[in-house]
Amino acid sequence: MASADNKIYFIITAKPPPPYGSAELLMAVESNEDRLLVLNDPEALEKASNLSAGCQVHVEYKGQWLTGVIRYIGSLKSFSSDPLTGVFFGVELQGEDKGKGQNDGSFSYKTYFTCPKNSGIFAPFTRIKPVYHKPSAPLLPTQSSLSITTTEPLKAGDRVTFFGDKNAHHGMVMDIKDHPDGKMVLISTDKDEEGKRGGEMLIPLDCVIKEELLNKDETEKMDTSQGAGMGGVTDSDEITVGSLVQFLGKTLLYGIVRWIGYLPDFPGMTAGLELEDSSAGVNDGTYKGKRYFNCPPYCGLFVKLSSCRPDDRFSGVKKKLFNGNSDNDEAMVSEEQDNVPPIRTEDVSNRLIGKMKGIQGHCNSCYMDSALFSVFSCSSVLDSLLFKTTEYETIQSILLKNIVNPLRKQGFVSEQSVMNLRKQLQKREHCPTYTTDEKDPEEFLSLIMQEILFLDPPLILCSQSGSIQKVQSCYYYQIFMDYNHHLVLPTVQQLLEHSFYSNSLKLAEVPSCLILTMPRSGKSFKMFPKIIPSTELDITGLLADGPQQCVLCGQLANQECAECFRDAAFSDTGFKYFCVKCSAQVHSHQQRRCHKPSTLILPQGFSYSQSSGSDRRTPPREKLELFAVLCIETSHYVSFVKYGPQDTDWIFFDSMADRVGESDGYNIPEVRACPEVGQYLHMPLAQLANQVPREMEGVAKRLFCDGYMYLYQSKTMSLYR
């Protein structure tokens, strides 16, 4: 506080006990079993008791840990006669997690704090984890730290820590000013005293200490464990504009070098960084009013170039790869020796989501990047490709060790790994454009499955022409539509059934993997402005020899009527199968008397009873589940992947989401969660039809308007393929 003599003093007060105890914290936990578990963890209860409004925390919601700030602690009941009331924590989500919550700070029509829509969460302490900022330090500088400060003078640009209230604050020195009462330091803070970013504060020099001094012990430990990767040996000769780097501030920060040079009053070579974490920077690329590079607000940071190290998250990739300067075939990611399973649902958030995640695009590779990501990131249905005996071992090895395994283990595949695969395919195909031109994803997948790795065709079709039945095998199915249909907002289920009907096709067996490409008139014209993805594809009616269910009574059917397929009296989906009784009733109508139902061949194990004319058992349903969708817009492919059982478990992948530099730059791939997709998939058709594409939330518009290839799998049949 400021006194009459204008000096600044810091007052240390004992922290008052919280207005609640362990009992109130436990009352907010939902089940008695969970309460007993946490009751035996006194450390967790103690940590929760130390939390206060304004603390930065991680809060668990729908299986993900989101970042936020505590805005409220207390009961969620306005009136209660209970002697104990459960204590909940109201958290406002911050940064990229904004909008991923459940409310705006209100509960049961009562407002406990205010925040943007869907950016608030109420949770018990068991779903709260405090964010610990390193380094931890005493509330006031010790005498030893003050002596260090005087022997290590501050300069503009130094990262510093200063202490006040009961919290440590962090920021960068902007200027050092003379004051009647001594030297004062102008600091651009990471967070001001109200928790807002980027505030400027004038602090006495004696209350400020360099962060590098506080971090010294931690840095030395990292030097010992990681060697030159984080040690005192400078890798700055390998760092240029566009390099991906890491920098040890109050935490380990990651960013892209946007500028290298000298700043006034800042000794030594300086790097201007655009940070990944939008809350960790202090500027937008300007220093003392002069712009050195461009980046979003609070994403910029100037640091000593010698303090930067190459980003060790990509340590398996040759450093110059990201600058676009490596044409060497050997510049590949280090080979993964283990066979890595698909990424589990609970690991997707930490391993896959973010920038520089997924497969890095380069030179029209988006069709291949999206196809590989869709097939291998979270599904194993085509993993047999990776282990089959083949004469093309080099291609198989690149696919397994340099693409699939790194994607599943690290969540990232470099552009060079995909380019090596493209070069090998180019040599094998003698096609000079495989490394430069865009291809179709189905062309690429067919080449890999059929001609390189010799996978047995997953799709067996049979067609009936008179009394002759033909069987053909294929790797994917292109949906063709005649123009004699009345579909306006079709589902994938309807499109497949109409295509099979108009081409007199059936499935000879249940496929382990079904790849469908949507109908198009020409390469750019879409037949339908929107297509609704069928998350479950019921193929029972498409099977040639499977037991069928009567569409009216549900019993075993023994007749099929092709003419009834388009009859408006029936549903828009499904081939029309009837038992004897229902068929007679349906075809007694004068409009259907000319129909000619055909008799079905009864599968082994089923029989018709003489009394009812039907087997009383209900035939089983065969269903495939959607696991990925490839979309195309203006010749650029992206993909959606269903990674878990919940409706909201969707991710969106773009191998060229952003770019650094021009012709000598590189692309930044990105994977983002898109739970909004589930909301639209369960929306009534009439409501979905009225949705304006550009007004749909997030990336949902891409899924419904640009869907091109749909990938389905059978959980049971994939075990035998």
Side-chain angles (χ1 to χ4, degrees):
M1 61 175 289
S3 65
D5 57 4
N6 291 325
K7 289 187 178 180
I8 297 176
Y9 297 90
F10 293 100
I11 301 174
I12 303 176
T13 59
K15 182 178 180 181
Y20 53 85
S22 299
E24 287 90 341
L25 289 170
L26 290 169
M27 286 295 291
V29 180
E30 186 172 353
S31 68
N32 293 329
E33 293 79 3
D34 290 340
R35 289 175 189 163
L36 287 174
L37 288 175
V38 296
L39 186 60
N40 295 323
D41 188 1
E43 184 178 350
L45 288 166
E46 183 180 355
K47 288 180 180 179
S49 299
N50 290 329
L51 292 174
S52 59
C55 287
Q56 194 171 15
V57 295
H58 295 304
V59 55
E60 189 272 330
Y61 182 61
K62 291 186 176 180
Q64 296 185 10
W65 287 97
L66 308 176
T67 302
V69 174
I70 294 177
R71 298 300 188 201
Y72 170 80
I73 302 176
S75 168
L76 294 183
K77 297 179 180 179
S78 302
F79 305 98
S80 176
S81 58
D82 298 334
L84 293 177
T85 304
V87 170
F88 290 82
F89 293 82
V91 178
E92 178 183 356
L93 300 180
Q94 303 286 308
E96 294 183 355
D97 292 331
K98 281 185 178 180
K100 297 181 180 179
Q102 59 185 167
N103 55 56
D104 60 355
S106 301
F107 181 79
S108 293
Y109 305 103
K110 180 177 179 180
T111 299
Y112 294 90
F113 64 94
T114 57
C115 68
K117 181 181 178 182
N118 294 330
S119 294
I121 293 176
F122 291 103
F125 79 98
T126 51
R127 288 167 47 203
I128 299 289
K129 293 193 302 187
V131 176
Y132 294 107
H133 292 289
K134 293 182 179 180
S136 57
L139 294 179
L140 286 173
T142 62
Q143 186 61 40
S144 60
S145 69
L146 291 175
S147 63
I148 290 175
T149 312
T150 55
T151 58
E152 296 284 343
L154 294 175
K155 309 179 198 62
D158 283 342
R159 292 285 302 176
V160 294
T161 297
F162 61 97
F163 306 96
D165 311 337
K166 54 181 182 290
N167 297 317
H169 300 270
H170 309 273
M172 185 175 75
V173 176
M174 304 300 292
D175 198 5
I176 300 175
K177 300 177 179 290
D178 290 321
H179 193 271
D181 296 314
K183 294 280 188 181
M184 302 292 287
V185 184
L186 180 63
I187 300 173
S188 177
T189 63
D190 298 345
K191 292 183 181 294
D192 66 16
E193 292 178 336
E194 296 179 355
K196 298 179 180 178
R197 299 178 297 182
E200 291 188 355
M201 300 182 67
L202 200 61
I203 303 297
L205 177 62
D206 289 345
C207 297
V208 179
I209 184 171
K210 286 186 178 181
E211 281 190 353
E212 62 185 63
L213 299 177
L214 290 172
N215 290 331
K216 185 175 181 181
D217 292 340
E218 184 174 355
T219 306
E220 288 175 351
K221 291 177 182 178
M222 295 183 72
D223 291 347
T224 304
S225 62
Q226 299 186 20
M230 284 295 296
V233 180
T234 301
D235 292 328
S236 56
D237 57 337
E238 297 186 14
I239 295 174
T240 60
V241 173
S243 294
L244 299 174
V245 297
Q246 59 191 38
F247 165 75
L248 185 62
K250 68 176 184 285
T251 59
L252 191 59
L253 303 175
Y254 299 97
I256 300 170
V257 178
R258 297 300 193 190
W259 176 86
I260 295 177
Y262 292 93
L263 290 175
D265 305 322
F266 198 111
M269 188 74 77
T270 304
L273 307 182
E274 180 181 347
L275 301 177
E276 286 184 4
D277 185 352
S278 60
S279 65
V282 296
N283 57 53
D284 61 352
T286 59
Y287 178 74
K288 290 189 174 181
K290 182 178 179 181
R291 179 168 298 282
Y292 291 86
F293 64 93
N294 291 295
C295 72
Y298 308 114
C299 287
L301 185 67
F302 291 99
V303 299
K304 293 178 181 178
L305 180 61
S306 59
S307 300
C308 298
R309 299 291 181 268
D311 193 331
D312 62 9
R313 294 176 297 175
F314 313 110
S315 58
V317 186
K318 289 196 173 180
K319 304 291 186 299
K320 297 221 173 171
L321 169 67
F322 294 104
N323 297 326
N325 296 328
S326 177
D327 294 322
N328 186 355
D329 284 359
E330 300 303 319
M332 300 166 60
V333 294
S334 56
E335 292 190 354
E336 298 288 343
Q337 300 301 322
D338 300 329
N339 300 323
V340 185
I343 301 173
R344 299 182 304 172
T345 301
E346 57 267 31
D347 295 331
V348 165
S349 177
N350 293 328
R351 192 173 304 174
L352 262 188
I353 294 178
K355 291 187 176 181
M356 291 306 287
K357 293 291 186 179
I359 301 175
Q360 187 181 31
H362 176 63
C363 195
N364 295 319
S365 68
C366 59
Y367 73 96
M368 189 178 294
D369 307 327
S370 298
L372 290 171
F373 185 87
S374 298
V375 170
F376 292 113
S377 60
C378 301
S379 173
S380 61
V381 67
L382 291 179
D383 274 15
S384 57
L385 283 171
L386 308 173
F387 308 106
K388 290 181 68 69
T389 302
T390 176
E391 59 183 286
Y392 300 104
E393 294 181 356
T394 301
I395 293 177
Q396 187 182 50
S397 179
I398 292 174
L399 185 61
L400 172 63
K401 297 179 180 179
N402 301 134
I403 296 177
V404 176
N405 281 352
L407 175 63
R408 292 174 173 179
K409 189 172 184 179
Q410 300 159 0
F412 176 78
V413 178
S414 76
E415 63 179 38
Q416 194 62 40
S417 296
V418 178
M419 180 56 74
N420 285 332
L421 177 62
R422 296 170 75 183
K423 288 179 178 179
Q424 291 295 325
L425 294 175
Q426 179 170 290
K427 290 178 183 178
R428 190 252 171 228
E429 283 288 289
H430 305 291
C431 176
T433 62
Y434 229 106
T435 58
T436 56
D437 291 2
E438 183 178 294
K439 309 290 182 183
D440 292 326
E442 65 269 27
E443 175 187 348
F444 162 65
L445 290 175
S446 294
L447 174 65
I448 289 290
M449 290 190 289
Q450 182 176 3
E451 299 184 37
I452 302 296
L453 301 178
F454 307 110
L455 182 73
D456 293 334
L459 187 58
I460 310 297
L461 301 174
C462 60
S463 58
Q464 192 75 31
S465 179
S467 59
I468 302 176
Q469 188 179 62
K470 296 181 179 179
V471 177
Q472 57 183 349
S473 58
C474 51
Y475 291 87
Y476 71 96
Y477 180 71
Q478 169 71 61
I479 291 179
F480 292 99
M481 296 290 292
D482 59 32
Y483 288 91
N484 184 25
H485 67 79
H486 304 287
L487 299 177
V488 177
L489 186 63
T491 65
V492 174
Q493 178 88 39
Q494 290 173 320
L495 292 174
L496 181 61
E497 290 172 347
H498 275 74
S499 182
F500 268 43
Y501 169 77
S502 59
N503 292 283
S504 301
L505 294 175
K506 289 290 182 69
L507 293 171
E509 59 183 43
V510 178
S512 59
C513 180
L514 177 59
I515 301 175
L516 302 174
T517 56
M518 293 299 102
R520 286 178 176 257
S521 296
K523 194 165 186 177
S524 59
F525 180 73
K526 298 180 288 188
M527 286 192 69
F528 301 97
K530 289 180 189 172
I531 295 176
I532 303 174
S534 301
T535 55
E536 221 176 36
L537 201 61
D538 191 336
I539 61 169
T540 309
L542 306 180
L543 292 170
D545 298 324
Q548 301 297 339
Q549 193 173 7
C550 176
V551 296
L552 296 181
C553 69
Q555 296 184 16
L556 185 67
N558 63 350
Q559 289 186 5
E560 177 187 4
C561 182
E563 289 91 340
C564 285
F565 181 85
R566 298 184 187 274
D567 198 313
F570 299 104
S571 65
D572 291 332
T573 60
F575 283 72
K576 303 306 181 287
Y577 299 100
F578 305 98
C579 64
V580 174
K581 182 178 179 180
C582 292
S583 179
Q585 183 178 352
V586 165
H587 293 99
S588 64
H589 193 281
Q590 60 180 3
Q591 292 182 354
R592 305 187 191 96
R593 288 174 184 172
C594 60
H595 291 188
K596 298 179 180 179
S598 58
T599 302
L600 298 175
I601 300 175
L602 198 64
Q604 185 177 0
F606 288 85
S607 62
Y608 298 113
S609 65
Q610 297 297 322
S611 58
S612 64
S614 174
D615 192 316
R616 305 298 296 182
R617 290 175 293 173
T618 301
R621 310 299 298 181
E622 292 289 351
K623 296 181 180 180
L624 307 179
E625 64 177 34
L626 179 67
F627 71 92
V629 181
L630 271 71
C631 302
I632 181 173
E633 183 182 29
T634 59
S635 298
H636 180 62
Y637 287 93
V638 296
S639 65
F640 291 82
V641 172
K642 183 76 162 60
Y643 67 88
Q646 302 300 319
D647 296 337
T648 54
D649 292 342
W650 284 90
I651 52 177
F652 171 77
F653 166 63
D654 186 348
S655 66
M656 302 178 183
D658 199 0
R659 185 167 179 83
V660 173
E662 300 299 331
S663 59
D664 61 343
Y666 59 91
N667 291 308
I668 298 179
E670 182 179 12
V671 180
R672 67 168 84 169
C674 50
E676 68 273 7
V677 166
Q679 166 192 340
Y680 290 103
L681 287 174
H682 288 275
M683 190 175 286
L685 286 181
Q687 186 179 352
L688 185 59
N690 291 326
Q691 293 291 316
V692 179
R694 65 176 178 271
E695 295 178 0
M696 297 178 79
E697 293 183 23
V699 292
K701 175 256 180 187
R702 305 289 302 273
L703 179 65
F704 289 92
C705 299
D706 303 328
Y708 175 71
M709 177 184 286
Y710 295 77
L711 291 85
Y712 289 86
Q713 63 184 353
S714 169
K715 286 293 189 180
T716 53
M717 290 304 298
S718 61
L719 299 174
Y720 302 99
R721 292 284 184 174

